[in-house]
Amino acid sequence: MNRLVLLLFLLTACSITQERLDQGKRIAFERNKGNCLACHAIADGESPGTIGPALNAVANRFQDQQQLRAFIFDARQFNPETSMPPFGKNRILSDAELDWLVDYLWSLP
Amino acid sequence: MPLTMSLNNILRLVLLPALLWALPLHADPHQDQTELRQYYRHLFPQLTLADYRNGVYAIDAVARESWQAIEEFPPYEPAIDQGEVLFNSPFANGKHYADCFPDPGIAHHYPQWNTAQGEVLTLPVAINACRIANWELPLAYPHNDLLNLQAFIAYRSRGKPIDTTVPENDPRALAAYQQGKAFYYQRRGQLNFACATCHIQNAGKKIRSETLSALLGHTANWPVYRLKWGELGSLHRRFAECLEQIRAQPLPEQSVELRNLEYFLSFMGQGIPVTGPSVRK
């Protein structure tokens, strides 16, 4: 049983390759993609905005990755007056791009 | 819900909706004006009403410094001169703009409610009305001559407080005002922003490296020589650009929607001195 858990853990760990994290970072930083830097300080991103909170230790702020994904998909579900664009709902980002983004944010210290 | 919630978020959730987003739909314009000004006074206690004429430079000291350096050799100066020449050139019938506007210092009267037409009259439309009355073809929106004329007229109006009113005896004026206000608060575009999201809710904060200006004074400084445009442009061109940024449908200059929007903004900024033409990044 323990071995199975370990195996599952390793499988998930391997699926989050560095390449995925790099893609996620690109989506977060690029102006015509997520442009999250417009509002959030993130890692080494240059001249971030101050509209939203700094995105560090994101994994501590959500129950699981699914919940983080739901927040980025449509933050209005969590706060109807939010300034944050509904990235999934309005198809600003694709499903794959959202997945990369979640992996990247989850990895932030 | 995210597990932690900062004080800021709690303020945003509880206070702001009460202050702004729950403005009663049929609040009277004066009440809107009072509430909005209270909100900004709270955000920027150091500013006087007149300070808002300088937009973002009233609140961003770093940006203000480079702006003041540019203002020493203002790139809009030739436009004022050309506007004056146009203003004094005779129409084919021998008359002049001065026959419509004896004193060119009238920018603070616009936009105004036009009872006869039952619509908002902006300065460019008033200039064209003068042309039509004198058998000249109206100028297109945008047109360089119009911008230059506006630059000259604004220059002669500098320091005069905006006196836009919403006459109480004409319900159509109130309706135009309400439409302008509704437009400002309506979320739109793929990014789902309202004008109010940036210029009210987040005024003073940074979007990337740009500080967001307050709505007050947004009609005081036109036309603008924007370094990004490399030329003079109108308030409605700036509206279009903000609409494009949020991936919303841009509207043509001087459309009813944009004139009503300008009417709402101008009434909110009533009393702020005209400072056009100006220069912006």
Side-chain angles (χ1 to χ4, degrees), chain A residues 41-66:
Chain A
I42 311 172
D44 58 350
E46 272 176 38
S47 51
T50 57
I51 294 175
L55 295 183
N56 47 30
V58 178
N60 296 341
R61 310 187 195 194
F62 292 86
Q63 282 158 12
D64 50 28
Q65 293 201 6
Q66 207 47 45

Side-chain angles (χ1 to χ4, degrees), chain A:
Chain A
M1 186 61 203
N2 264 345
R3 231 185 260 168
L4 187 66
V5 171
L6 184 67
L7 189 69
L8 277 174
F9 175 77
L10 284 176
L11 274 174
T12 10
C14 289
S15 72
I16 304 170
T17 59
Q18 189 57 42
E19 199 185 330
R20 280 179 74 88
L21 296 183
D22 290 346
Q23 291 284 22
K25 182 172 181 176
R26 184 177 63 79
I27 302 301
F29 283 28
E30 273 185 15
R31 278 172 203 270
N32 58 0
K33 285 293 178 185
N35 198 14
C36 316
L37 278 179
C39 298
H40 298 280
I42 311 172
D44 58 350
E46 272 176 38
S47 51
T50 57
I51 294 175
L55 295 183
N56 47 30
V58 178
N60 296 341
R61 310 187 195 194
F62 292 86
Q63 282 158 12
D64 50 28
Q65 293 201 6
Q66 207 47 45
Q67 196 196 31
L68 170 60
R69 195 182 193 281
F71 190 95
I72 303 169
F73 190 87
D74 188 357
R76 290 173 298 186
Q77 292 174 313
F78 298 83
N79 168 13
E81 308 299 340
T82 188
S83 313
M84 185 161 143
F87 287 98
K89 183 99 182 172
N90 281 16
R91 297 176 190 279
I92 301 161
L93 297 176
S94 70
D95 283 345
E97 289 170 335
L98 285 174
D99 291 337
W100 296 335
L101 197 50
V102 167
D103 284 346
Y104 168 66
L105 292 176
W106 208 257
S107 77
L108 291 175

Side-chain angles (χ1 to χ4, degrees), chain B residues 77-87 144-145 148-149 152:
Chain B
E77 229 163 39
I80 299 174
D81 296 342
Q82 285 163 33
E84 183 165 14
V85 170
L86 287 168
F87 194 85
N144 270 340
D145 285 0
N148 292 339
L149 281 161
F152 168 66

